mmCIF file of all heavy atoms in Angstrom:
data_model
loop_
_atom_site.group_PDB
_atom_site.id
_atom_site.type_symbol
_atom_site.label_atom_id
_atom_site.label_comp_id
_atom_site.label_asym_id
_atom_site.label_seq_id
_atom_site.Cartn_x
_atom_site.Cartn_y
_atom_site.Cartn_z
ATOM 1 N N HIS A 295 102.775 98.692 102.274
ATOM 2 C CA HIS A 295 102.205 100.047 102.368
ATOM 3 C C HIS A 295 100.988 100.139 101.454
ATOM 4 O O HIS A 295 101.109 100.450 100.260
ATOM 5 C CB HIS A 295 103.268 101.074 101.975
ATOM 6 C CG HIS A 295 102.860 102.496 102.189
ATOM 7 N ND1 HIS A 295 103.769 103.529 102.269
ATOM 8 C CD2 HIS A 295 101.649 103.088 102.337
ATOM 9 C CE1 HIS A 295 103.148 104.681 102.446
ATOM 10 N NE2 HIS A 295 101.839 104.434 102.487
ATOM 11 N N HIS A 297 96.588 101.339 101.442
ATOM 12 C CA HIS A 297 95.482 101.996 102.145
ATOM 13 C C HIS A 297 94.174 101.497 101.553
ATOM 14 O O HIS A 297 93.691 102.037 100.555
ATOM 15 C CB HIS A 297 95.553 103.515 101.975
ATOM 16 C CG HIS A 297 96.842 104.127 102.462
ATOM 17 N ND1 HIS A 297 97.070 104.407 103.796
ATOM 18 C CD2 HIS A 297 97.956 104.527 101.804
ATOM 19 C CE1 HIS A 297 98.281 104.955 103.921
ATOM 20 N NE2 HIS A 297 98.830 105.035 102.734
ATOM 21 N N LEU A 300 90.237 103.559 102.970
ATOM 22 C CA LEU A 300 90.703 104.664 103.818
ATOM 23 C C LEU A 300 89.806 105.880 103.595
ATOM 24 O O LEU A 300 89.752 106.431 102.488
ATOM 25 C CB LEU A 300 92.153 105.032 103.474
ATOM 26 C CG LEU A 300 92.682 106.289 104.181
ATOM 27 C CD1 LEU A 300 92.798 106.056 105.692
ATOM 28 C CD2 LEU A 300 94.029 106.720 103.607
ATOM 29 N N MET A 302 89.522 109.314 103.549
ATOM 30 C CA MET A 302 90.485 110.420 103.580
ATOM 31 C C MET A 302 89.801 111.716 104.011
ATOM 32 O O MET A 302 90.353 112.504 104.769
ATOM 33 C CB MET A 302 91.124 110.594 102.213
ATOM 34 C CG MET A 302 92.355 111.458 102.265
ATOM 35 S SD MET A 302 93.397 111.249 100.846
ATOM 36 C CE MET A 302 94.624 110.105 101.406
ATOM 37 N N LYS A 387 103.669 104.628 111.895
ATOM 38 C CA LYS A 387 103.923 105.712 110.935
ATOM 39 C C LYS A 387 103.620 107.063 111.574
ATOM 40 O O LYS A 387 102.580 107.243 112.213
ATOM 41 C CB LYS A 387 103.068 105.530 109.672
ATOM 42 C CG LYS A 387 103.351 106.583 108.585
ATOM 43 C CD LYS A 387 102.509 106.372 107.313
ATOM 44 C CE LYS A 387 102.785 107.484 106.287
ATOM 45 N NZ LYS A 387 101.874 107.460 105.127
ATOM 46 N N PHE A 389 103.907 111.483 110.735
ATOM 47 C CA PHE A 389 103.750 112.372 109.584
ATOM 48 C C PHE A 389 104.410 113.720 109.854
ATOM 49 O O PHE A 389 104.053 114.398 110.822
ATOM 50 C CB PHE A 389 102.261 112.616 109.294
ATOM 51 C CG PHE A 389 101.507 111.365 108.919
ATOM 52 C CD1 PHE A 389 101.086 110.478 109.896
ATOM 53 C CD2 PHE A 389 101.229 111.076 107.586
ATOM 54 C CE1 PHE A 389 100.396 109.320 109.557
ATOM 55 C CE2 PHE A 389 100.546 109.923 107.238
ATOM 56 C CZ PHE A 389 100.123 109.039 108.220
ATOM 57 N N TYR A 392 100.824 117.119 106.340
ATOM 58 C CA TYR A 392 99.401 117.207 106.704
ATOM 59 C C TYR A 392 99.163 117.881 108.066
ATOM 60 O O TYR A 392 98.546 117.295 108.974
ATOM 61 C CB TYR A 392 98.743 115.819 106.703
ATOM 62 C CG TYR A 392 98.951 114.980 105.465
ATOM 63 C CD1 TYR A 392 99.249 113.615 105.568
ATOM 64 C CD2 TYR A 392 98.828 115.515 104.181
ATOM 65 C CE1 TYR A 392 99.438 112.821 104.447
ATOM 66 C CE2 TYR A 392 99.018 114.729 103.047
ATOM 67 C CZ TYR A 392 99.327 113.376 103.193
ATOM 68 O OH TYR A 392 99.509 112.602 102.077
ATOM 69 N N HIS A 420 106.380 109.686 107.014
ATOM 70 C CA HIS A 420 105.972 110.445 105.827
ATOM 71 C C HIS A 420 106.770 111.748 105.898
ATOM 72 O O HIS A 420 106.436 112.650 106.659
ATOM 73 C CB HIS A 420 104.465 110.706 105.835
ATOM 74 C CG HIS A 420 104.010 111.466 104.625
ATOM 75 N ND1 HIS A 420 102.912 111.095 103.882
ATOM 76 C CD2 HIS A 420 104.502 112.569 104.010
ATOM 77 C CE1 HIS A 420 102.747 111.933 102.873
ATOM 78 N NE2 HIS A 420 103.699 112.849 102.934
ATOM 79 N N HIS A 481 107.376 105.931 100.903
ATOM 80 C CA HIS A 481 107.158 106.541 99.574
ATOM 81 C C HIS A 481 108.182 107.612 99.212
ATOM 82 O O HIS A 481 107.822 108.741 98.869
ATOM 83 C CB HIS A 481 105.724 107.055 99.423
ATOM 84 C CG HIS A 481 105.134 107.864 100.551
ATOM 85 N ND1 HIS A 481 105.791 108.909 101.142
ATOM 86 C CD2 HIS A 481 103.919 107.799 101.165
ATOM 87 C CE1 HIS A 481 105.023 109.443 102.079
ATOM 88 N NE2 HIS A 481 103.881 108.779 102.122
ATOM 89 N N TYR A 509 106.960 106.317 91.274
ATOM 90 C CA TYR A 509 108.130 107.199 91.243
ATOM 91 C C TYR A 509 109.237 106.648 90.343
ATOM 92 O O TYR A 509 110.203 107.348 90.045
ATOM 93 C CB TYR A 509 108.656 107.436 92.663
ATOM 94 C CG TYR A 509 107.572 107.994 93.571
ATOM 95 C CD1 TYR A 509 107.152 107.321 94.717
ATOM 96 C CD2 TYR A 509 106.915 109.182 93.242
ATOM 97 C CE1 TYR A 509 106.139 107.818 95.525
ATOM 98 C CE2 TYR A 509 105.891 109.683 94.034
ATOM 99 C CZ TYR A 509 105.508 108.991 95.177
ATOM 100 O OH TYR A 509 104.489 109.480 95.964
ATOM 101 N N ILE A 529 97.475 112.712 91.062
ATOM 102 C CA ILE A 529 97.851 113.448 92.276
ATOM 103 C C ILE A 529 98.043 112.456 93.423
ATOM 104 O O ILE A 529 97.134 111.702 93.792
ATOM 105 C CB ILE A 529 96.784 114.510 92.624
ATOM 106 C CG1 ILE A 529 96.944 115.715 91.678
ATOM 107 C CG2 ILE A 529 96.886 114.939 94.090
ATOM 108 C CD1 ILE A 529 96.029 116.889 91.984
ATOM 109 N N CYS A 530 99.260 112.423 93.929
ATOM 110 C CA CYS A 530 99.580 111.629 95.112
ATOM 111 C C CYS A 530 100.676 112.385 95.852
ATOM 112 O O CYS A 530 101.276 113.312 95.302
ATOM 113 C CB CYS A 530 100.048 110.224 94.727
ATOM 114 S SG CYS A 530 101.490 110.208 93.642
ATOM 115 N N SER A 531 100.918 112.015 97.100
ATOM 116 C CA SER A 531 101.930 112.714 97.893
ATOM 117 C C SER A 531 102.935 111.734 98.483
ATOM 118 O O SER A 531 102.508 110.761 99.115
ATOM 119 C CB SER A 531 101.271 113.479 99.047
ATOM 120 O OG SER A 531 100.488 114.517 98.501
ATOM 121 N N PRO A 532 104.223 111.986 98.283
ATOM 122 C CA PRO A 532 104.827 113.050 97.484
ATOM 123 C C PRO A 532 104.364 112.970 96.027
ATOM 124 O O PRO A 532 103.908 111.906 95.583
ATOM 125 C CB PRO A 532 106.335 112.775 97.595
ATOM 126 C CG PRO A 532 106.497 111.868 98.766
ATOM 127 C CD PRO A 532 105.240 111.116 98.929
ATOM 128 N N ASP A 558 101.918 102.044 98.188
ATOM 129 C CA ASP A 558 101.136 103.173 98.724
ATOM 130 C C ASP A 558 99.774 103.213 98.011
ATOM 131 O O ASP A 558 99.252 104.296 97.707
ATOM 132 C CB ASP A 558 101.888 104.494 98.558
ATOM 133 C CG ASP A 558 101.290 105.624 99.385
ATOM 134 O OD1 ASP A 558 100.425 105.352 100.224
ATOM 135 O OD2 ASP A 558 101.688 106.778 99.166
ATOM 136 N N CYS A 560 96.321 103.702 97.088
ATOM 137 C CA CYS A 560 95.308 104.551 97.714
ATOM 138 C C CYS A 560 94.492 105.231 96.606
ATOM 139 O O CYS A 560 94.554 106.449 96.430
ATOM 140 C CB CYS A 560 95.997 105.580 98.611
ATOM 141 S SG CYS A 560 94.842 106.470 99.690
ATOM 142 N N ASN A 579 94.390 112.514 97.667
ATOM 143 C CA ASN A 579 95.732 112.101 97.212
ATOM 144 C C ASN A 579 95.862 110.590 97.148
ATOM 145 O O ASN A 579 95.554 109.905 98.131
ATOM 146 C CB ASN A 579 96.801 112.566 98.215
ATOM 147 C CG ASN A 579 97.036 114.067 98.190
ATOM 148 O OD1 ASN A 579 98.060 114.534 98.636
ATOM 149 N ND2 ASN A 579 96.094 114.829 97.655
ATOM 150 N N GLY A 580 96.383 110.108 96.033
ATOM 151 C CA GLY A 580 96.724 108.692 95.971
ATOM 152 C C GLY A 580 96.374 108.095 94.635
ATOM 153 O O GLY A 580 95.508 108.598 93.923
HETATM 154 O O1 URP B 9 99.023 110.281 98.173
HETATM 155 C C1 URP B 9 99.150 109.422 99.039
HETATM 156 N N1 URP B 9 100.342 108.973 99.320
HETATM 157 N N2 URP B 9 98.077 108.955 99.707
HETATM 158 C C2 URP B 9 98.107 108.058 100.758
HETATM 159 C C3 URP B 9 98.403 108.690 102.081
HETATM 160 C C4 URP B 9 99.869 108.716 102.432
HETATM 161 O O2 URP B 9 100.361 109.757 102.831
HETATM 162 O O3 URP B 9 100.551 107.709 102.358
#
Side-chain angles (χ1 to χ4, degrees):
H295 187 161
H297 302 279
L300 173 67
M302 195 161 262
K387 184 179 178 188
F389 297 80
Y392 309 137
H420 181 133
H481 46 48
Y509 304 120
I529 283 185
C530 58
S531 293
D558 194 10
C560 191
N579 288 200

